[in-house]
């Protein structure tokens, strides 16, 4: 994505307050009469970004400008699952490792489960994208990551809704004997998520993590051997 001058202008502000102050001019002060009232109005999203939108947009722009910027940088999550995916963020972004996350999460008394292509989910950050992720808030434990209809596999136990999506990294296959298979699109190796399988695939390992946030979390780590 090519950044515009307007996009880059947002990166010039050191804080959300600096951004809001930049919006105030003589005409708006004359109309609203009071600087504090005007700032309060801007914070609601009137003719301005909310703080949440500002932070999300800045994160997106920083990553777009520098693909090596890590969302987990300078954040020390306490949950074991978040610690583990923070370790895997850089190798996933560089394409050296490809991690598939399986999770079961209870949201409002409804269990949501599915498989997430971690690298693909790391790229789904633009605030205008459906099912976008605020990764800095996730690593800071201010938000919770859970499967969505945009991920590899999604299932809502309450509604019975299920979705499957091929991604840039994986093609979903179904085998009558082995069940679901994820085929890596770079080295064409298959990942077998069957928990009782003798092997999870070439260069693939499985680790199940204890987490206070989820009913169950499993990581499938595939070391990518790219063919050039």
């Amino acid at each position: 994505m090519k950044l515009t001058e307007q996009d880059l202008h947002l990166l010039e502000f050191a804080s959300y307050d600096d951004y809001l102050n930049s919006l105030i001019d003589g005409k708006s002060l004359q109309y609203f009469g009071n600087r504090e009232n005007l700032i309060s109005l801007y914070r609601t999203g009137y003719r301005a970004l909310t703080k949440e939108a500002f932070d999300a947009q800045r994160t997106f722009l920083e990553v777009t400008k520098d693909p090596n910027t890590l969302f987990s940088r300078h954040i020390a999550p306490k949950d074991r699952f978040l610690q583990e995916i923070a370790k895997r963020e850089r190798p996933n972004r560089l394409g050296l490792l490809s991690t598939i996350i399986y999770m079961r999460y209870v949201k409002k008394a409804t269990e949501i489960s599915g498989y997430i292509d971690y690298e693909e989910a790391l790229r789904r950050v633009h605030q205008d994208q459906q099912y976008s992720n605020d990764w800095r808030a996730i690593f800071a434990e201010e938000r919770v990551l859970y499967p969505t209809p945009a991920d590899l596999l999604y299932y809502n136990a309450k509604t019975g809704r299920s979705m499957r999506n091929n991604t840039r990294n994986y093609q979903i296959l179904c085998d009558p004997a082995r069940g679901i298979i994820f085929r890596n699109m770079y080295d064409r190796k298959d990942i077998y998520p069957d928990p009782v399988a003798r092997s999870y695939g070439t260069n693939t390992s499985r680790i199940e993590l204890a987490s206070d946030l989820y009913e169950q979390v499993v990581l499938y780590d595939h070391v990518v051997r790219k063919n050039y």
Side-chain angles (χ1 to χ4, degrees):
M1 175 181 174
K2 185 177 180 181
L3 299 181
T4 66
E5 290 186 8
Q6 185 176 0
D7 290 330
L8 294 174
H9 181 59
L10 198 63
L11 294 174
E12 297 175 1
F13 302 110
S15 68
Y16 181 58
D17 286 337
D18 289 344
Y19 161 70
L20 293 181
N21 285 324
S22 74
L23 302 177
I24 298 175
D25 56 23
K27 185 176 181 180
S28 56
L29 275 177
Q30 183 180 8
Y31 185 80
F32 289 96
N34 183 284
R35 185 184 187 88
E36 286 70 26
N37 288 343
L38 185 56
I39 289 290
S40 297
L41 186 61
Y42 284 158
R43 289 183 187 277
T44 67
Y46 175 78
R47 295 186 178 180
L49 296 173
T50 62
K51 187 177 188 309
E52 182 181 67
F54 173 83
D55 290 340
Q57 185 70 355
R58 270 187 60 91
T59 298
F60 170 74
L61 294 171
E62 288 169 355
V63 173
T64 304
K65 187 178 180 181
D66 181 3
N68 294 318
T69 299
L70 299 180
F71 295 122
S72 56
R73 187 180 181 185
H74 302 315
I75 300 177
K78 296 179 181 178
D79 187 81
R80 172 78 188 286
F81 163 65
L82 296 177
Q83 292 172 358
E84 291 297 327
I85 63 172
K87 294 177 186 176
R88 290 162 171 79
E89 182 183 1
R90 182 174 177 78
N92 268 269
R93 291 169 68 90
L94 294 176
L96 304 175
L97 184 72
S98 182
T99 300
I100 294 176
I101 304 169
Y102 169 74
M103 59 171 54
R104 294 167 49 224
Y105 173 64
V106 176
K107 179 183 180 182
K108 297 181 180 179
T110 298
E111 182 174 296
I112 297 172
S113 60
Y115 291 85
I116 299 172
D117 177 346
Y118 183 33
E119 190 276 335
E120 190 273 340
L122 284 169
R123 289 186 290 107
R124 199 168 64 240
V125 295
H126 196 286
Q127 63 175 355
D128 292 333
Q129 284 182 287
Q130 190 175 25
Y131 306 118
S132 63
N133 297 307
D134 185 344
W135 280 102
R136 290 195 63 80
I138 289 170
F139 282 118
E141 302 186 27
E142 296 169 356
R143 289 192 175 186
V144 178
L145 174 70
Y146 55 86
T148 73
D151 289 305
L152 272 172
L153 288 174
Y154 165 86
Y155 178 66
N156 184 310
K158 183 176 182 179
T159 64
R161 184 186 183 191
S162 63
M163 295 288 291
R164 54 181 288 182
N165 304 283
N166 293 327
T167 67
R168 178 172 80 167
N169 301 304
Y170 288 101
Q171 178 185 9
I172 302 173
L173 305 174
C174 292
D175 183 89
R178 307 206 66 165
I180 295 171
I181 298 173
F182 299 114
R183 176 162 294 171
N184 187 277
M185 301 305 294
Y186 289 96
D187 61 12
R188 310 301 295 178
K189 302 299 183 183
D190 292 340
I191 289 84
Y192 307 104
D194 183 352
V196 298
R198 292 185 178 181
S199 170
Y200 304 110
T202 304
N203 302 323
T204 300
S205 60
R206 177 186 185 274
I207 178 173
E208 185 162 353
L209 304 169
S211 171
D212 294 331
L213 303 175
Y214 303 94
E215 297 297 305
Q216 184 181 13
V217 178
V218 180
L219 302 181
Y220 294 89
D221 292 319
H222 176 66
V223 179
V224 181
R225 304 297 187 191
K226 294 185 178 180
N227 299 316
Y228 294 104

